[in-house]
């Protein structure tokens, strides 16, 4: 961390305290309150940590007002348009865009790590067939520490590197196996001749009885979904990974914790909620009814997939995702899919409605990614597992950064206690 060049004075009951202020390379200044409790015997109160910086980081920066998302300084729309997922993985992990030889070596390393230990297959068979794929992923990823003992020592830089490669490489295999198990089909092993996205699609949709061809347009759309969800600063699941890792837990346990947090409908389930809304609408002729309900303050119905908590004007990821959605729908058509017909018409009517324009309720990345995944053939139960595959590189990048940070200490949030003060125990016969 750079030296503080500014300070603020806080006065409590007539006593003043000088607090350092740090200026980031982008974003608002940060007030350092680390010594406040020791000096003044007070805590700060910030539910959800929405105004608190829990760490310093060099990985991702978001400016919600400007609609800006940067990975190591590179705009996400440029990366999604000109790059591909594994190159973005390299960028997030190491801080710079690789040379051709570095990228080839990295891709080869990831490709050679895609198979999982054969005995891990038994874990899948221990789950009920109707188990949610996310439940399966939490269990299997957490269990990786029982199989890969040579990459659990977080004090060993080489072991951290191996764990990073394994997690990025094996997550698509685990997600695909969770899907195959849920539909009663045999597992499909990874193929080293396919790209990262194409390999995932092949493991999900191929069957031993016939050859499966991965269309390049579908593979490109899948790669963009991975790229656009790779990292998103200090969100709930990333903060969970950092908090879990602050205790010294092994990397597989930490990533399993991140998957569990991502499972929440307020976080990783947004595109699933969007598709469920489209199913609720049912047919294009009912769209005006639901748009009217969305405008009614007394109606609890809300348009899912529109607007964003962080981005106040537009989602920088949505433009690229819309392009992929249009390409996929042109390829596959929407004539025989009522949900996609509703999605296309809802997008059109909402963008033309002044109410949504004034309130900046634009289609976001979840709206378009849900459309793409539905068109490809994924059930909504697989949307969040696919998000987990995408976000793994962000989690491990943040994990690696935290482990190497000399300021790293175990997380210990404080509280505003509003319960009873000390009282004496009363024997049961006297209550």
């Amino acid at each position: 961390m750079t030296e503080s060049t500014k300070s603020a004075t806080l006065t409590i009951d007539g006593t003043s305290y000088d607090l350092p202020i740090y200026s980031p390379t982008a974003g608002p200044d940060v007030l350092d309150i680390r010594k406040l409790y020791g000096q003044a015997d007070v805590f700060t109160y910030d539910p959800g940590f929405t105004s608190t910086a829990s760490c310093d980081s060099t990985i991702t920066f978001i400016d919600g007002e400007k609609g800006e998302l940067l990975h190591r300084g590179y705009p996400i729309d440029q990366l999604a348009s000109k790059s591909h997922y594994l190159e973005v993985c390299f960028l997030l992990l190491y801080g710079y865009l690789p040379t051709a030889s570095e990228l080839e070596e990295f891709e080869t390393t990831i490709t050679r790590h895609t198979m999982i230990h054969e005995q891990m297959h038994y874990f899948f068979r221990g789950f009920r067939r109707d188990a949610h794929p996310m439940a399966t992923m939490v269990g299997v990823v957490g269990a990786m520490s029982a199989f890969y003992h040579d990459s659990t020592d977080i004090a060993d830089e080489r072991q951290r590197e191996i764990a990073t490669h394994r997690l990025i490489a094996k997550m698509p295999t685990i997600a695909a196996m969770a899907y195959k198990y849920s539909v009663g089909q045999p597992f499909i092993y990874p193929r080293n001749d396919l790209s990262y996205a194409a390999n995932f699609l092949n493991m999900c949709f191929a069957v031993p009885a016939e050859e499966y061809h991965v269309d390049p347009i579908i593979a490109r759309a899948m790669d963009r979904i991975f790229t656009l969800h790779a990292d998103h600063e200090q969100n709930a699941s990333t903060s969970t990974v950092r908090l879990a890792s602050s205790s010294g837990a092994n990397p597989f346990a930490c990533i399993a914790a991140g998957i569990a947090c991502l499972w929440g409908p307020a976080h990783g389930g947004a595109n699933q909620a969007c598709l469920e809304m489209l199913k609720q609408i049912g047919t294009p002729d009912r769209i005006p009814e639901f748009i009217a309900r969305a405008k009614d303050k007394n109606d609890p119905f809300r348009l899912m997939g529109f607007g964003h908590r962080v981005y106040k004007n537009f989602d920088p990821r949505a433009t690229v995702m819309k392009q992929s959605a249009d390409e996929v729908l042109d390829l596959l058509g929407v004539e025989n899919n009522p949900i996609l017909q509703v999605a296309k018409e809802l997008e059109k009517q909402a963008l033309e409605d002044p109410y949504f324009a004034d309130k900046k309720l634009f289609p976001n990345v979840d709206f378009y990614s849900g459309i793409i995944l539905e068109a490809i053939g994924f059930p909504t139960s697989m949307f969040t597992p696919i998000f987990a595959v995408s976000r793994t590189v962000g989690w491990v990048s943040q994990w690696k950064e935290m482990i190497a940070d000399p300021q790293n200490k175990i997380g210990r949030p404080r509280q505003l206690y509003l319960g009873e003060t000390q009282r004496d125990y009363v024997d049961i016969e006297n209550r």
Side-chain angles (χ1 to χ4, degrees):
M1 180 183 291
T2 58
E3 291 295 323
S4 169
T5 58
K6 294 182 286 185
S7 66
T9 300
L10 175 65
T11 301
I12 304 174
D13 294 333
T15 303
S16 296
Y17 304 92
D18 290 328
L19 303 174
I21 295 178
Y22 294 98
S23 296
T25 53
D29 286 348
V30 176
L31 187 67
D32 186 348
I33 60 166
R34 284 177 291 180
K35 296 181 180 180
L36 184 60
Y37 172 54
Q39 294 175 344
D41 196 31
V42 296
F43 297 144
T44 55
Y45 185 59
D46 183 21
F49 308 109
T50 55
S51 298
T52 299
S54 62
C55 64
D56 57 72
S57 180
T58 62
I59 299 171
T60 298
F61 173 73
I62 296 172
D63 187 323
E65 295 295 335
K66 294 180 180 179
E68 186 175 70
L69 170 59
L70 307 177
H71 290 325
R72 304 289 192 177
Y74 295 97
I76 186 60
D77 55 332
Q78 292 184 22
L79 294 173
S81 299
K82 301 178 180 181
S83 184
H84 63 277
Y85 182 66
L86 284 185
E87 184 175 50
V88 172
C89 287
F90 187 101
L91 173 67
L92 290 171
L93 288 170
Y94 304 113
Y96 65 95
L97 290 173
T99 64
S101 60
E102 286 176 324
L103 180 59
E104 182 181 4
E105 181 181 357
F106 180 71
E107 290 177 333
T108 300
T109 299
I110 298 301
T111 300
R112 297 293 172 85
H113 273 298
T114 51
M115 289 183 65
I116 66 171
H117 197 290
E118 193 71 11
Q119 283 186 297
M120 293 184 72
H121 289 208
Y122 295 113
F123 272 83
F124 291 90
R125 295 184 172 91
F127 289 94
R128 284 172 50 121
R129 285 284 181 187
D130 59 356
H132 195 288
M134 284 294 277
T136 306
M137 289 187 69
V138 170
V140 174
V141 173
M144 287 176 70
S145 59
F147 292 87
Y148 302 106
H149 303 292
D150 61 340
S151 54
T152 57
D153 182 359
I154 63 172
D156 186 323
E157 184 177 356
R158 178 56 183 160
Q159 289 201 30
R160 295 201 301 269
E161 189 79 351
I162 294 172
T164 295
H165 294 158
R166 281 177 171 156
L167 281 160
I168 295 171
K170 298 180 191 305
M171 199 65 74
T173 308
I174 292 170
M177 291 175 71
Y179 171 63
K180 284 296 195 183
Y181 185 74
S182 71
V183 295
Q185 292 184 3
F187 297 143
I188 301 297
Y189 285 88
R191 282 174 44 184
N192 290 352
D193 61 318
L194 296 176
S195 70
Y196 190 87
N199 186 43
F200 175 66
L201 291 167
N202 186 73
M203 289 189 291
C204 286
F205 296 119
V207 292
E210 60 187 29
E211 185 176 354
Y212 173 75
H213 172 69
V214 181
D215 190 283
I217 293 177
I218 303 298
R220 177 60 175 153
M222 192 76 251
D223 188 88
R224 278 182 170 170
I225 287 177
F226 289 155
T227 299
L228 293 170
H229 291 89
D231 192 53
H232 210 239
E233 212 190 72
Q234 305 305 316
N235 54 80
S237 59
T238 299
S239 298
T240 297
V241 171
R242 278 184 172 262
L243 190 60
S245 66
S246 74
S247 71
N250 73 75
F252 306 111
C254 296
I255 301 306
I259 296 172
C261 180
L262 185 71
W263 194 356
H267 190 4
N271 51 9
Q272 180 174 343
C274 176
L275 259 291
E276 290 170 351
M277 175 199 70
L278 296 175
K279 292 177 182 177
Q280 181 185 1
I281 295 173
T283 55
D285 60 285
R286 297 189 66 196
I287 290 175
E289 168 196 342
F290 282 88
I291 285 183
R293 288 182 60 188
K295 295 178 182 179
D296 186 352
K297 293 181 179 180
N298 298 318
D299 193 315
F301 176 79
R302 294 292 180 267
L303 282 183
M304 305 302 295
F306 286 78
H308 197 279
R309 178 185 177 186
V310 174
Y311 302 110
K312 305 306 180 184
N313 290 293
F314 68 94
D315 186 339
R317 303 167 297 173
T319 303
V320 179
M321 193 65 85
K322 173 176 168 51
Q323 178 185 343
S324 283
D326 291 339
E327 291 172 355
V328 170
L329 295 186
D330 287 344
L331 174 68
L332 301 178
V334 298
E335 296 81 7
N336 299 320
N337 192 321
I339 294 176
L340 299 180
Q341 292 176 12
V342 171
K344 292 290 286 184
E345 184 61 26
L346 177 61
E347 176 195 29
K348 178 176 180 293
Q349 292 191 29
L351 289 174
E352 293 174 350
D353 194 309
Y355 174 87
F356 296 101
D358 292 342
K359 291 187 175 294
K360 297 182 173 60
L361 295 177
F362 45 83
N364 60 34
V365 70
D366 298 308
F367 182 81
Y368 293 118
S369 65
I371 291 174
I372 292 171
L373 295 174
E374 167 73 18
I376 292 174
F378 284 106
T380 53
S381 62
M382 275 299 293
F383 287 9
T384 316
I386 289 170
F387 195 161
V389 173
S390 312
R391 185 54 57 83
T392 296
V393 67
W395 290 332
V396 296
S397 297
Q398 301 272 352
W399 169 77
K400 284 184 64 181
E401 182 179 66
M402 179 178 180
I403 296 299
D405 186 352
Q407 300 181 99
N408 178 29
K409 60 176 63 177
I410 187 169
R412 182 60 171 87
R414 300 297 187 170
Q415 65 178 10
L416 172 62
Y417 178 69
L418 299 175
E420 298 286 349
T421 55
Q422 182 174 326
R423 48 185 174 171
D424 293 328
Y425 179 83
V426 178
D427 293 335
I428 192 167
E429 63 270 15
N430 295 327
R431 294 176 205 165

